[in-house]
């Protein structure tokens, strides 16, 4: 078994990693860290996991020590803190390499890390620094790969550090990438209107996520200045091979899980809905987690809950020549923990779907 | 007291009219009809109103008879059925005019009717017929006024038949009208992305609105072909004095009440957010139910729940030159029953706010 | 107008007092305090109230100063803090008495205070101290009256300090008081199983009330040791004229407002459901806010939302000789702010329903 | 692979059987029936299962034909209809026996059927008929076993027809069985106060389960006369070896999944909480799906969502000598489909947990 550490494991993403990895045939979580919950058992922090990890205890994040005890790591810390963790963990000692134990391909004894913060999501360090903060390990950032397998699978297989995509970017980029790549839409004026469940805000309570402030309500936030916009733009730019800017509006919806992304783009004169759907179907033909819905069927977050699927549907509004693309993901799975495992599977040379075949829970 | 009939009173809109009119100092509901609930008392159909209308019973809709017993009517029937009701009710007999009883201004003894269906919302009969069905009383439609007081107050005062706006159109038009009137935005490429609570679907149950199909989920529907789009377009065209088309996507959100409308428009090069907000503030300066939020504050449906307010906020995204306007209403109040009462107040020459001063219920 | 201060006004109870008092014909809120929000305007803390109190600003709680500026006060502070506020505020200076200004009946220039904490809810100081903490003003407690008008109306009229009941006790006591008074049920083995919306936990956020921890879940808490049990027992003991103990289990439900209380008692052999319902109807015959549902109709919290009503229904289970009583209230209205206003109306000699006639908001 | 038919597969229980059996290593669903959806594919009726059963189509329920094509069946029909299906299906032809194919133990070529209706839940036909309707196959009922493995595991192993327990009974019986068996509580006056999510009402829409009628509300229903009470009583009577009657109140909660059952019983003078918890732990020591929570931890339905677990906690209220037991299940899993698979595993001689090891989905 490949021994896995989860750094910063007491949030919702950590809980999902624990849930999903429980029955992974090749990985086993042996180390979990949390400054705040150090010394507590899994079942104190995640009572729903009672019976699954009763002997596992949160420990202080001593990365140098942990590095010697595991073969791979998921880091789920705030940005800034993550880069420090990754810089120590990824510099693996001899014999600690999961790739080594798995398939005798050692890459300088470097331990694979999938990072769920924003610290390794950008190619362009200037964009990272304009959006977040000074990046303390630019050379590590250069080596990292953006963990969207549908766009960067081959690079991910060769990577040791993967920056797992943000939840909003996953839903937005996968809905646009094939169309931009094939030039079916105009590249100006793209609108991304996203609606997210509240787990996207993390597990740390705040006045803004107090139950009565959210329930039976609905609002937009950070209109035009959410940090996920530059992340989306960088990858759409790659897809289109030209500079793309978007208008991005996130909304908070009183549900736990799910992001519905409604995307508006001007369709080229000669493009039909059939061509759009065929393009999606072709480019995503071998993708295990992308489901293209037929004409007339629009995604619902309830249809992907708990699973690693992304559902994609599209409509052409003839009168205005607008293409409306709708995507649905579970923000904690395809938008976080599930995609992270998908990435780790790729790094480790495992079948990509391993441990991720649970069907959605509906209702 | 002005005696009022509510035709088709057993839905959510009927319940709201009863709730709001209970303490209206000038109107009294004396007749309620429902084919399905004929013979039942109010408290059987609306247990929350126990104590308020215990002697009032739903009756069969005999319009000729009802016409002689009331001074005004709200009609809340499906389209097609409504036009028939209005055609009989509005042809009031001598002495039955509410305007007469109120202020000695009789307009040919015609009884005022505010219709909550789509039957009297269109100026252009061709648009109505393309969107809904053959209109059986075109001459009545010509006399009707669209009941959006912020745009058509003077006409409403002189009207006898008012077509109460749809819920989505109320949220969309009021967020765009001042900007189009003043030419602050480009008229092409306007996107209206609306999110509605489930009461917007009415009180009749269906597999689509069964609780578990909706709760913890989120989806778009009728993308690009919802019937409210032409209604929005007709009024935006009036506002802009040029043909406007929009791309309109409604979404269903697991809350009871509230519509949040996120509108995207290309802002003219020279326009600033200040100018946008000032334009809203100036044009809506005397509006009792429009609240313009200051820069940095974005509407939340929870802040208008149960009230007749519409909250409007705006953000300019400099990089893409997009203006994002967000509006919030309670779809059953400003989006239906409250606005209907506002219209009836105007027709009857009453102060416009009468009976509508309840503050929002939060949380 | 009677000038009113709300001490500790930035919570949900404060918001409800502001909402309900806005249209009260005799009272006007002129002072609001909050240590945390001192200096902020109402619309910053309660955006839903925009337009209603825009000139009113939260101030530091300087009770000696406030006392001279108002005629009455609602105190909504944590227990312990409340007793200090009340002790200063209730010792009114000459000329400051609301009763005086209202009807020339001055009671030693003492200012009326309705306290929404637990500090004045107990007759028995030992019970208070065993349940909460040392009581620093026992002599004030002696003068205070428990603010449940349906049981103590006459005393409340003569009081200056009223301890407004807890939310759970309101729903529990009103469902049992007539039956214990008339001896229709056995006094042993009473079970009170209550289900509350999350606003009952207040507005201060905590990990326990973070949206995702609550939504789509359901749990009991403080089973058998909730502080409201002794408050219920003290008043049931009064009703029965003998010592009553109960088993009380509160549950947290993912809704905003509403407490449903399901009460189980052994019915006396000879008692019928009719007798139970008649007893409720007779004892509560003149109560403006108690609605007794007919046989076969069971309360729903949705039917009282936003209103000061309590709905009561009952069923007899013949096989087990158990009477099941179900009551529903809005915990923020009849369970807090509404009842507080009802009490203040009584103290001030105003009609009891003044300002409290809003009908429930459904759905 | 053991070929499985699901009869009446288009409801929520059918959807859960499909979800859970997808990765069952020994069973494969090859036939699904639905009168209403005959001819439709799985992904039309269950869009969340897209990709998993795309070639499987709902067919008309021709039991004689189906019998020859599968080795076992789950029947999920309304009571009355189920007994007819089971009577045909269970009379298997030669060679069709799953037991045979599995382990060469043929029992007269009878095909195993787990029935999810009420038709095979009662030992006492008179109770069934008093509660539901005339039973048309009393001799089949005699052969059936009640499918609660924790009580009747050995009988289930030998059965061919299993009556899968109701959702409420599962939560209630498992919370009481060890205590009654060991005589730790008094047998009179047991109260079962249950709170259920709305999927318990099935997938067929009705005015009562229309989203806005349920959301933000809370009510009891069928107080004292719900059909699950006799089912609970029959099994508690078995557990106690004496006649038990209960007072049972179900409540409807605005969540999708989960039943929380709060049980009140008078504890015997000498019994302690430790003894209660130890008794649970001992009797359920080898149960794979029962989790006994330690003193001070109370179950939450969110901790079992999507899983086959039942969580059980208990509190003793010393003052009233009441034991409060709280249990939590997912009504669609341990309360329906999961338990049905658990039963089928037992009948077929498979490890009981097969296909049921998914961890709960939280949040």
């Amino acid at each position: 078994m490949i021994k896995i550490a989860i750094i910063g494991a007491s949030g919702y993403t950590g809980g999902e990693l624990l849930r999903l990895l429980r029955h992974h045939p090749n990985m086993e979580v042996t180390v979990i860290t949390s400054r705040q919950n150090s010394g507590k058992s899994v079942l104190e922090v995640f009572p729903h996991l009672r019976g699954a990890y009763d002997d596992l205890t949160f420990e202080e994040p001593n990365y140098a020590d942990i590095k010697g005890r595991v073969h791979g790591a998921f880091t789920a810390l705030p940005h800034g803190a993550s880069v420090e963790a990754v810089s120590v963990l990824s510099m693996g000692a001899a014999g600690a390499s999961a790739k080594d134990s798995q398939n005798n391909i050692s890459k300088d004894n470097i331990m694979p890390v999938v990072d769920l913060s924003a610290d390794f999501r950008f190619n362009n360090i200037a964009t990272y620094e304009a959006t977040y903060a000074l990046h303390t390990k630019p050379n590590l950032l250069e080596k990292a790969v953006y963990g969207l397998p549908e766009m960067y699978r081959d690079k991910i297989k060769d990577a040791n550090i993967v920056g797992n995509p943000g939840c909003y970017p996953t839903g937005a980029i996968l809905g646009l990438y094939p169309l931009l790549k094939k030039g079916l839409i105009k590249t100006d004026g793209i609108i991304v209107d996203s609606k997210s469940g509240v787990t996207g805000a993390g597990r740390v309570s705040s006045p803004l996520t107090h139950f009565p402030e959210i329930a039976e309500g609905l609002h937009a936030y950070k209109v035009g200045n959410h940090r996920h916009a530059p992340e989306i733009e960088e990858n759409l730019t790659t897809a289109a091979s030209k500079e793309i800017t978007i208008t991005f509006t996130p909304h908070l919806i009183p549900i736990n899980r799910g992001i519905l992304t409604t995307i508006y783009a001007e369709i080229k004169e000669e493009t039909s809905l059939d061509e759009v759907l065929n393009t999606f179907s072709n480019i995503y033909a071998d993708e295990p987690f992308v489901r293209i819905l037929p004409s007339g069927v629009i995604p619902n977050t309830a249809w992907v809950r708990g699973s690693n699927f992304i559902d994609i549907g599209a409509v052409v509004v003839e009168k205005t020549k607008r293409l409306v693309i709708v995507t649905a993901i579970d923000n904690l799975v395809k938008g976080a923990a599930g995609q992270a495992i998908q990435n780790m599977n790729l790094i480790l040379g495992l079948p990509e779907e391993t441990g991720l075949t649970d069907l959605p829970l509906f209702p």
Side-chain angles (χ1 to χ4, degrees), chain A residues 14-331:
Chain A
E16 281 296 272
L17 286 168
L18 287 166
R19 175 179 75 86
L20 292 165
L21 290 174
R22 177 62 180 158
H23 299 297
H24 195 293
N26 308 98
M27 296 187 215
E28 179 186 17
V29 180
T30 57
V31 174
I32 54 176
T33 78
S34 166
R35 285 191 202 282
Q36 194 179 351
N37 293 295
S38 172
K40 289 190 186 168
S41 67
V42 168
L43 54 75
E44 285 176 278
V45 174
F46 297 118
H48 65 296
L49 298 180
R50 179 178 296 272
Y53 290 99
D54 290 0
D55 298 332
L56 195 59
T57 301
F58 289 90
E59 55 185 79
E60 287 288 340
N62 183 336
Y63 307 129
D65 173 70
I66 291 166
K67 188 173 57 175
R69 295 157 53 201
V70 298
H71 303 106
F74 296 93
T75 46
L77 299 172
H79 69 86
S82 235
V83 72
E84 295 307 319
V86 172
S87 73
V88 178
L89 289 168
S90 66
M91 304 289 279
S97 165
K99 296 210 179 190
D100 202 22
S101 78
Q102 182 69 13
N103 51 21
N104 287 326
I105 303 173
S106 169
K107 282 185 284 190
D108 308 321
N109 293 322
I110 291 177
M111 188 164 87
V113 180
V114 177
D115 179 56
L116 291 104
S117 84
D119 283 350
F120 297 95
R121 291 179 186 162
F122 289 82
N123 277 322
N124 188 334
I125 191 166
T127 310
Y128 175 86
E129 295 192 339
T131 310
Y132 291 91
L134 195 73
H135 200 292
T136 56
K137 305 279 178 185
N139 57 330
L140 273 189
L141 181 55
E142 275 173 35
K143 295 180 187 166
V145 173
Y146 190 66
L148 196 62
E150 292 79 3
M151 275 187 78
Y152 304 106
R153 178 169 289 109
D154 290 342
K155 288 188 183 174
I156 295 165
K157 287 180 179 173
D158 289 336
N160 281 299
I161 301 175
V162 165
N164 209 56
C167 49
Y168 287 124
T170 298
I173 299 166
L174 292 179
L176 282 164
Y177 153 64
L179 308 178
L180 288 170
K181 183 175 176 180
K182 294 295 182 189
L184 302 186
I185 54 174
K186 298 192 181 170
T187 52
D188 281 347
I190 295 172
I191 307 284
V192 177
D193 187 289
S194 294
K195 299 91 178 166
S196 175
V198 188
T199 54
R203 199 179 191 186
V204 177
S205 61
S206 94
L208 298 176
T209 53
H210 185 47
F211 182 89
E213 302 286 317
I214 296 290
E216 265 288 306
L218 178 56
H219 66 282
Y221 68 102
K222 294 187 185 167
V223 180
N225 67 356
H226 192 283
R227 283 166 162 173
H228 282 178
E231 182 183 337
I232 296 169
E233 288 167 339
E234 184 174 274
N235 290 284
L236 297 187
T237 295
T238 300
S241 302
K242 64 174 286 196
E243 181 82 13
I244 304 281
T245 59
I246 61 163
T247 304
F248 175 57
T249 307
H251 300 75
L252 207 53
I253 307 290
I255 63 174
N256 279 335
R257 289 169 180 253
I259 290 178
L260 195 82
T261 306
T262 311
I263 303 166
Y264 301 89
E266 195 170 351
I267 197 164
K268 289 193 178 161
E269 191 61 42
E270 64 283 5
T271 311
S272 67
L273 178 60
D274 275 358
E275 194 177 350
V276 167
L277 293 176
N278 287 339
T279 300
F280 276 125
S281 294
N282 291 337
I283 289 193
Y284 293 144
D286 297 325
E287 292 300 335
F289 299 116
V290 181
R291 302 191 298 192
I292 306 304
L293 307 194
S295 175
V297 183
I298 305 295
N300 186 326
T301 60
W303 300 345
V304 297
R305 183 165 49 234
S307 82
N308 203 44
F309 289 123
I310 175 166
D311 281 4
I312 302 178
V315 174
V316 171
V317 183
E318 288 298 343
K319 194 166 59 171
T320 60
K321 294 304 292 175
R322 248 62 184 183
L323 174 64
V324 185
I325 307 136
V326 183
T327 74
I329 60 169
D330 183 323
N331 56 297

